[in-house]
Amino acid sequence: MDLVAEEQATRNPAAQTPVTQDRAAEPLTEYVQRVSRRVREFDRRHPLLWDLHLTGFWVTAALIDYLGGGWRNVTRNPDTPGWLLLTLSLALSLPLLQRRAHPRSVLLTMAPFALVNAWSGAALQVSMLHMLVVFHLALRRHPRTLWWTTALILTIDSLTTLRHPRESLDQRIFSVLMSIIVAAAIGITVRTRRNYTEALEDRARRLEIERDQQARLAAAAERARIAREMHDIIGHNLSVITGLADGGRYAAAKAPERAAEALNAISTTSRQALTELRRLLDVLRDEDKDPAAPELSPQPTLTDLDPLIAGVRSAGLPVHTTIHGTPTLPPGRQLTVYRVIQEALTNTLKHAGPAATSHIKLSYEAQGAVTVTVTDTGHGREPDGTAGRGLPGMRERTALYGGTLEAGPRQPPDRGWRVHLHLPEESPQ
């Protein structure tokens, strides 16, 4: 009982009242279940040791019944030879060592000795041990095995009544049949409970695996999202800074004031990039973030298109815009449109060449639908970033809203590159 009190105190340290209350706190059923669980765990770890103990117990009981003369109280033939009694006692108890691994073989091994026991009239009680075998047959074998098992046991026990009548045959058959039914019912019950427990454990394992898979998929999706944001922030701003630096280098000798403007633009663009990166890192550093603090995330909207286009123009790329309709997009769609235009302009800066120009056409439609076409007059070759995060990132963003994205060279006689985005109407909630 001290173990019970100690476990109760461990479960609820704040309720460490007198020992008598701790002892009464644990229900008897919980204590029995805990002991039963420990016994089953020991049996799983040491099956042979458990079988030896159980078989040794029944062998000892059979020998005590033989040596102590207890068998004379139920025997039909008190004159049965001692050597036969000893042989039957051992033959009907020793096979129990294999009752779990080979219950059918054990039953068939015991059957001839049980038949001799019934024919001779010894009627040793050790013959009832075949009910243990019936239990294991019901527990581990197909239910149809119980039919021939029942027929075999009833035949052997009926022989005792036919050879040495003491009660009527129907009474004997009924008594043995009830014993078989009880043993089989216990075995089936244990088997059903075990199967149910195994099913629950298997389901728990599968749910755990599914949870881990979902966590890995969520982590992969988050990494992809972060990669897109980092690519869009760093890639675009570095492209603008590169264009400004190249222009400032050429202007330094002839127009120093233009070089100073380029340096100022580089400074402004760098600060904007650092600000967006800090916001992104603030989102990632969520373990120290105040839950009441507002969500910090680089979420540009369509109102940020003008500064974006102005920065690209300052880097030396002429950009023309045509807008139809009034923008009524939710923030997520605005971010997608912004990032696609940003990536298209970034690729133009990097790959179109010094004499290229760009044109952006925006068409806002009803219920959140939008069409964006970005063209340039550059070389029209495949961008080097196609294998990187640029175009795949644009397609991933577009797929979130069920849209379509086309990117490729313009059709002759036009030169350059074309990016076409279409986001359909928002589906009703």
Side-chain angles (χ1 to χ4, degrees):
M1 295 302 293
D2 291 338
L3 291 176
V4 179
E6 181 180 351
E7 181 172 338
Q8 185 68 20
T10 303
R11 292 182 181 179
N12 189 6
Q16 294 183 5
T17 54
V19 177
T20 55
Q21 295 183 8
D22 287 343
R23 291 179 176 177
E26 183 180 37
L28 179 60
T29 54
E30 185 175 342
Y31 175 78
V32 172
Q33 290 176 358
R34 182 159 53 86
V35 173
S36 176
R37 185 166 56 251
R38 290 179 179 177
V39 171
R40 289 196 300 269
E41 291 174 356
F42 178 82
D43 183 30
R44 282 195 293 268
R45 291 194 300 268
H46 312 284
L48 180 58
L49 184 61
W50 181 259
D51 289 341
L52 287 173
H53 276 80
L54 188 62
T55 304
F57 171 79
W58 289 115
V59 171
T60 302
L63 293 177
I64 291 175
D65 184 57
Y66 160 64
L67 297 174
W71 63 276
R72 295 182 182 277
N73 298 325
V74 294
T75 188
R76 310 293 178 91
N77 182 14
D79 298 327
T80 304
W83 63 268
L84 181 59
L85 295 173
L86 178 61
T87 302
L88 293 176
S89 297
L90 295 176
L92 292 173
S93 57
L94 284 175
L96 293 178
L97 184 63
Q98 296 295 320
R99 74 194 184 284
R100 292 198 287 188
H102 308 287
R104 286 180 294 188
S105 300
V106 169
L107 183 64
L108 294 176
T109 301
M110 296 170 64
F113 297 97
L115 187 63
V116 173
N117 179 58
W119 183 267
S120 64
L124 292 177
Q125 297 182 84
V126 71
S127 63
M128 294 301 294
L129 290 179
H130 53 219
M131 294 303 168
L132 283 175
V133 185
V134 172
F135 165 79
H136 285 283
L137 283 171
L139 180 63
R140 292 178 169 82
R141 295 295 182 266
H142 196 278
R144 71 167 66 97
T145 307
L146 296 173
W147 292 108
W148 66 263
T149 300
T150 302
L152 177 62
I153 295 175
L154 288 177
T155 300
I156 294 174
D157 280 277
S158 299
L159 183 60
T160 302
T161 303
L162 294 175
R163 283 274 299 168
H164 307 277
R166 178 178 291 179
E167 71 277 353
S168 63
L169 182 61
D170 56 343
Q171 290 178 337
R172 180 69 179 179
I173 291 177
F174 179 78
S175 175
V176 175
L177 184 60
M178 288 302 298
S179 300
I180 295 174
I181 291 175
V182 170
I186 295 174
I188 293 174
T189 301
V190 174
R191 179 176 186 168
T192 303
R193 181 178 177 83
R194 178 180 296 177
N195 292 341
Y196 178 71
T197 303
E198 290 176 353
L200 289 179
E201 292 175 350
D202 179 68
R203 183 170 180 268
R205 283 193 297 269
R206 286 188 284 107
L207 288 175
E208 184 177 357
I209 294 173
E210 183 178 353
R211 180 200 64 193
D212 294 340
Q213 290 176 343
Q214 291 294 337
R216 287 194 292 269
L217 290 175
E222 184 65 10
R223 285 195 296 269
R225 185 188 70 84
I226 294 171
R228 287 197 304 267
E229 297 293 343
M230 296 289 287
H231 174 274
D232 292 340
I233 294 171
I234 297 176
H236 171 74
N237 286 286
L238 286 181
S239 296
V240 172
I241 291 171
T242 301
L244 291 170
D246 290 340
R249 183 180 60 184
Y250 288 115
K254 298 181 179 180
E257 67 281 359
R258 297 293 301 275
E261 292 176 1
L263 291 175
N264 289 332
I266 290 174
S267 176
T268 302
T269 304
S270 300
R271 288 191 179 92
Q272 291 175 350
L274 288 174
T275 300
E276 292 190 25
L277 284 175
R278 288 194 186 99
R279 290 175 180 172
L280 181 61
L281 294 176
D282 285 339
V283 174
L284 300 179
R285 199 181 300 114
D286 57 357
E287 64 273 7
D288 298 327
K289 187 174 67 173
D290 184 3
E295 189 72 19
L296 298 176
S297 179
Q299 300 290 330
T301 62
L302 294 178
T303 58
D304 299 307
L305 278 178
D306 289 341
L308 172 70
I309 295 172
V312 173
R313 285 170 178 165
S314 65
L317 176 65
V319 180
H320 308 283
T321 60
T322 303
I323 300 177
H324 300 285
T326 303
T328 57
L329 303 179
R333 289 180 172 238
Q334 292 190 41
L335 176 63
T336 298
V337 172
Y338 179 92
R339 291 303 190 195
V340 168
I341 294 175
Q342 182 187 55
E343 179 62 25
L345 294 178
T346 301
N347 287 338
T348 300
L349 277 174
K350 291 192 296 185
H351 307 292
T357 61
S358 180
H359 184 267
I360 301 173
K361 183 179 179 180
L362 271 165
S363 298
Y364 299 108
E365 304 169 17
Q367 297 183 357
V370 61
T371 301
V372 181
T373 303
V374 182
T375 58
D376 64 56
T377 59
H379 300 299
R381 62 186 181 86
E382 188 79 6
D384 297 335
T386 302
R389 294 298 314 168
L391 294 180
M394 287 195 291
R395 292 192 174 95
E396 290 170 2
R397 292 182 186 277
T398 305
L400 292 176
Y401 298 97
T404 57
L405 180 77
E406 301 174 3
R410 301 171 66 183
Q411 296 296 326
D414 296 327
R415 293 179 54 193
W417 193 262
R418 174 179 177 271
V419 175
H420 180 77
L421 165 70
H422 176 70
L423 298 182
E425 296 180 359
E426 294 185 87
S427 59
Q429 298 297 326

